[in-house]
Amino acid sequence: MKIEIYSEKTESTFGIIPFYKGSPENAGEPIHKLDAGEWMTHNGDTFFCMSPDWNQNEMAHYFRLLAMKTKKFWGKAPCVDTNLKGNALRAALRGIFISSFNPNPQHQKTAEKVILYLKSIPEIDFILHQAQAEAETQMWAMKMVDLPPSKKTPEDLGDFARQSAKKYGYDCEVWNEDHIVKAKLHALHAVGKGSQHPPVFIISKYFGRPDSKNIDLAFVGKGITFDTGGISIKGSANMHYMKSDMAGAAAMLGAIELAARLKLQLNIATVVPSAENAVDAKSVLPGDVIESYSGKTIEIIDTDAEGRLVLADGLAWTVKNLKPAVIIDMATLTGSSVRTLGTEAAALYSDNEKLVAALYDSGLSSGEKVWRLPLWSDYDSYLHSDVADVSNLSLKPVAGSITAAKFLQVFTGKHTAWAHIDMPGMSFKDSPFYKTKSATGYGVHLLNDFMHKLAENNDLTKD
Ligand code: BES
Ligand code: ZN
Ligand code: ZN
């Protein structure tokens, strides 16, 4: 989609006039009866009622809905008559861009044009550029998560990452199965070896401070392109949703793409251990004890707890080789996190108070919320194994998201600025735009907000 901005309203335009609920200049008009998110046509213009309490995702959501529902009346020259500014304007424009998104590639429209009338503000070109980059990257993440599993094998995911790196001028390497074995990424290999689509290990790097080689921020994303559960096979009801098990990877690839597009002055890496968790004669078995990159052995009790295995290697490899100042992983790790927080927030784990505060704050302003759960040592005993250093399944059928986080912590080399985000409920869910669950692109804007803060203040996470 292309948005053109004009500072003069022309005759043949369809005017959308957004206003904040309760704003005094509208008192007395019939439009004052509107609730936030509602619109009506009055004297030839469409009045759209906003709430001053909306976060950026809510702003984008309602503008997406408005644009989708009213576009057919926009004719040749639709326009939004607005005096929105700053973050609110950026989010509204993002919503208008995303209104062209359709998870069915056959129905995707690209050549749409929208003309906006905006009260002239000096930073409009910059805001429009940001909104377009944020919208396109979010749509890229959504598209990847919505793709069927046979169209996004681990190798495909590697290609997507490489294409983005080439297009926006950053580095990307994709290691194949042989390289994974040679590099001793044993846990990733154990998960991927049962699939006809071999695992890959993706390493993207963006140097926004090219005078330094140090990595300020590393992202590690769970890239399971389909999760059958493996030999501990899942029930078939809703198993098709497990195509979304690479949503953590999609968010992390989106975050680095956006950093490159917006030229943030940070050195960032995104690492994606990617595999398909398949059922096969070669699949890892329950009861097996596997090696891992860290040197620690892992007892596999349940092959469906595969995300933590690939992340164990992703985290250990990243900490050792990239030595990032801050490391954040994102994963569709547990159903337990959804039972705890529903589809309104992701579970956040970190012992770094400043990192927790910054991510919590970014969650509120972006609308991609996180809520902290504990990493206390009280839970250590849950992951005891008699035959290995650690078990991949808790001995108790409770606190599933917490024990998964505790498992990951074992592989972080006691990094002092590590955060883990368990987010299946947020990344793939019901919405008014579709009839079934679909991708949200969760994480892209949370991390975008966080990266902007980190670029401004490098002490943000120093305890
Ligand atoms: N990919 C799933 C987690 C998941 C659940 C994602 C629901 C999306 C929606 C993960 O690999 C998994 O299977 N987790 C198990 C863990 C259990 C075996 C310890 C779970 O949550 O049931
Ligand atoms: Zn699983
Ligand atoms: Zn999984």
Side-chain angles (χ1 to χ4, degrees), residues 222 224 227 229 234 241-242 244-245 277 302-308 332-339 392-394 400 422 424-425:
K222 172 177 172 182
I224 297 296
D227 184 9
K234 288 179 182 293
Y241 291 152
M242 286 303 130
S244 68
D245 215 14
N277 190 20
D302 191 318
T303 64
D304 198 10
E306 85 299 338
R308 64 195 74 183
T332 49
L333 206 60
T334 68
S336 161
S337 68
V338 191
R339 289 190 290 277
N392 87 326
L393 188 72
S394 168
D422 189 359

Side-chain angles (χ1 to χ4, degrees), residues 61-135:
H61 171 92
Y62 286 112
F63 267 88
R64 179 181 176 189
L65 207 60
L66 172 79
M68 278 174 66
K69 294 273 161 81
T70 59
K71 222 180 267 174
K72 58 176 177 274
F73 307 115
W74 289 13
K76 263 206 229 134
C79 87
V80 177
D81 179 353
T82 176
N83 47 23
L84 287 172
K85 295 194 247 341
N87 287 344
L89 175 59
R90 186 160 56 91
L93 291 172
R94 162 155 68 91
I96 296 174
F97 275 113
I98 292 181
S99 68
S100 68
F101 181 79
N102 192 311
N104 183 339
Q106 282 160 342
H107 295 161
Q108 184 74 44
K109 296 185 209 118
T110 46
E112 276 183 313
K113 189 161 108 179
V114 172
I115 299 173
L116 301 184
Y117 162 70
L118 289 162
K119 303 263 158 52
S120 61
I121 50 169
E123 63 278 17
I124 183 61
D125 286 339
F126 182 58
I127 291 178
L128 187 64
H129 165 71
Q130 277 187 319
Q132 179 156 13
E134 289 169 6

